[in-house]
Structures are given as structure tokens and as C-alpha cells.
Amino acid sequence: MAKDHRFAVLIDADNVSDKYIKNILDEISNEGITTYKRIYGDWTKPSLASWKNVLLDHSITPIQQYGYTTGKNATDSAMIIDAMDILYSGNVEGFCIVSSDSDFTRLASRLRESGMYVVGMGEKKTPTAFIAACNKFKYLEILTKNNVPSSSASTVPAVTEITKMTNIKTIKQTILTIMDEISDEDQWVNIGEIGNLLLKRYPDFDVRNYGFKKLTPFLKSLNIVDIRSNPSSDGNGRNVYVRSK
């Protein structure tokens, strides 16, 4: 996703805490430009009072949605309608749907069917179906975690708080499979290709989930690949390659 691609950020206030907002906006800025920033909820409820200063600080537009019927989530419907309006406006190339609610699974799928790039963000309780419907999914607990271990760690830190996250054993086996599928005659594979294909197969893949900041030290910690780096053709930086041990 190009850095200048435009995103609509739609936030479900009923399922997301205000403490995550800065991290959400910082993270989506890595994907592109935020064109729409909207948050949905019944703002007459005392439980949403803490949002006021957060919305002002980050220039997020609150969308009022009354709960017309007990037991029905009107916020979901309002978000879905707005998302389709924005889709047909042609003003964005991507959507960021912030919720831990499985009700947005079909919306994410529909947006992708229309060529949109969909980033999902939610808490660890987010159902697998919604995660799989997105191009990329970020766990909010990981984004706000302050004590991230050094990227030079020699082993993969234990991650116990996110039980649905794709496990290390699966990731290791998939990396070996990818290398077998796309390696050159010398068995070397560009590390960027591995990262891209892992993300396509597992939308929730993010090295930060396992305590790392970069892909290279994460792969090194798995102890299943050899790593080499060569100067790039333009002389600006290096290309990193890996192959099975």
C-alpha cells in the first residue's frame, strides 16, 4: 500500500477504548493518509463521556446513533452505511475498521471485493472471522504495549495474552513452505517477499506480536534460516535474503 493512499478510519466506540486512539492513528499513518476520521456511538450515554477530549485532540468526527431498539446495535448499521457511501464516493483507496465485533466481517469482505485495502484493528477478543476478512489486522494491545523487548533478542518471547494469534509453529512451517515455493536456484529468498506472503496468508501476522520490531531479527530467532545481505543496486541500503538451514 503506497504511503499516499487515502484511508477512511471508522471506529466503533461501543467496542474500543479511548486509550487506543493515538496508537490507532499513528499506525494507520504508516499505511497512508487519513482522509476520514469518524467514530460511532450513542454520545448521550455517560459511558462515552471520556471520549470528548480525545476526539477534540485528534480531530475525530463523532457520529450520533441512538439505540432505537433494545438489544439491537444501531452503531453497526450506521458504520456500514457510511462505509458504503464513502466507498462509492471514490475518495479513498483503503479503510481502517476499528472494532472487536464480528458484525463487521461482511463489511470488510465487501470492501475488499470492491478493490479496497482493509486494515482491521481490535482487541484480543476479536473473532477470527473478522480478522480473516481483512487484508491486515492489528491487535490494539500490542500497539499500546510499552515494554517491547529489544529486536536483538535471541529467542521468541512467550506471548500468552492473545490466544487466537497465529502461533509460532504455524509461522515457522509456513516460512519453510514459502521458501520452498519461491526460492531461486541457490535457495535464497528476498526477506520482503516472505513478509508479504506471510501477511497474505495470515492477516494478523506482525512481528510485534512476538516481541520484535523488525522481520530480520524475528526470522533469526526462529533458528530455521541462514541470512545474508547484499548492497542494493542503487547503493542506498542493503537487500536481505534468507534460505533454509
Side-chain angles (χ1 to χ4, degrees), residues 21-22 25 37 53-60:
I21 292 303
K22 184 180 186 304
L25 297 178
K37 290 187 287 185
N53 289 335
V54 175
L55 302 186
L56 291 173
D57 290 344
H58 298 284
S59 189
I60 302 172

Side-chain angles (χ1 to χ4, degrees), residues 30-82:
N30 295 328
E31 305 288 342
I33 300 168
T34 303
T35 303
Y36 295 84
K37 290 187 287 185
R38 297 181 181 177
I39 186 166
Y40 301 79
D42 184 353
W43 302 103
T44 64
K45 291 182 178 179
S47 59
L48 297 183
S50 62
W51 281 96
K52 181 178 179 180
N53 289 335
V54 175
L55 302 186
L56 291 173
D57 290 344
H58 298 284
S59 189
I60 302 172
T61 303
I63 306 298
Q64 172 62 33
Q65 187 60 51
Y66 294 102
Y68 298 110
T69 305
T70 302
K72 300 292 184 181
N73 195 336
T75 298
D76 292 2
S77 298
M79 276 185 64
I80 292 169
I81 292 170
D82 266 13

Side-chain angles (χ1 to χ4, degrees), residues 10-214:
L10 308 180
I11 304 168
D12 177 8
D14 293 334
N15 281 285
V16 174
S17 169
D18 60 291
K19 68 182 180 181
Y20 294 127
I21 292 303
K22 184 180 186 304
N23 301 91
I24 290 168
L25 297 178
D26 287 349
E27 186 68 19
I28 204 64
S29 70
N30 295 328
E31 305 288 342
I33 300 168
T34 303
T35 303
Y36 295 84
K37 290 187 287 185
R38 297 181 181 177
I39 186 166
Y40 301 79
D42 184 353
W43 302 103
T44 64
K45 291 182 178 179
S47 59
L48 297 183
S50 62
W51 281 96
K52 181 178 179 180
N53 289 335
V54 175
L55 302 186
L56 291 173
D57 290 344
H58 298 284
S59 189
I60 302 172
T61 303
I63 306 298
Q64 172 62 33
Q65 187 60 51
Y66 294 102
Y68 298 110
T69 305
T70 302
K72 300 292 184 181
N73 195 336
T75 298
D76 292 2
S77 298
M79 276 185 64
I80 292 169
I81 292 170
D82 266 13
M84 299 310 293
D85 285 344
I86 294 170
L87 169 66
Y88 292 125
S89 75
N91 291 330
V92 299
E93 289 77 38
F95 282 80
C96 177
I97 302 173
V98 185
S99 179
S100 303
D101 193 336
S102 63
D103 289 348
F104 295 106
T105 300
R106 181 64 187 113
L107 173 62
S109 298
R110 177 65 180 82
L111 293 172
R112 290 184 65 182
E113 289 170 2
S114 295
M116 293 291 106
Y117 190 84
V118 179
V119 178
M121 297 188 192
E123 295 181 331
K124 60 184 179 181
K125 63 184 179 181
T126 304
T128 304
F130 178 44
I131 295 172
C134 301
N135 292 95
K136 182 183 292 187
F137 189 88
K138 302 292 183 180
Y139 293 106
L140 294 175
E141 292 92 341
I142 296 295
L143 297 184
T144 56
K145 198 171 184 179
N146 294 320
N147 57 337
V148 178
S150 170
S151 60
S152 61
S154 59
T155 58
V156 177
V159 179
T160 59
E161 71 271 23
I162 300 178
T163 57
K164 294 182 180 180
M165 184 178 63
T166 305
N167 63 57
I168 288 291
K169 182 178 180 180
T170 299
I171 293 296
K172 289 172 70 172
Q173 184 56 54
T174 303
I175 289 170
L176 294 173
T177 300
I178 289 173
M179 289 191 294
D180 184 57
E181 292 172 348
I182 69 171
S183 60
D184 61 20
E185 293 181 357
D186 295 324
Q187 305 301 310
W188 291 101
V189 181
N190 186 284
I191 194 172
E193 292 185 70
I194 292 178
N196 290 335
L197 290 173
L198 279 173
L199 188 58
K200 288 179 179 178
R201 300 184 189 194
Y202 306 104
D204 68 338
F205 176 75
D206 188 324
V207 295
R208 290 173 295 184
N209 294 347
Y210 310 97
F212 290 85
K213 295 180 180 179
K214 300 290 184 181

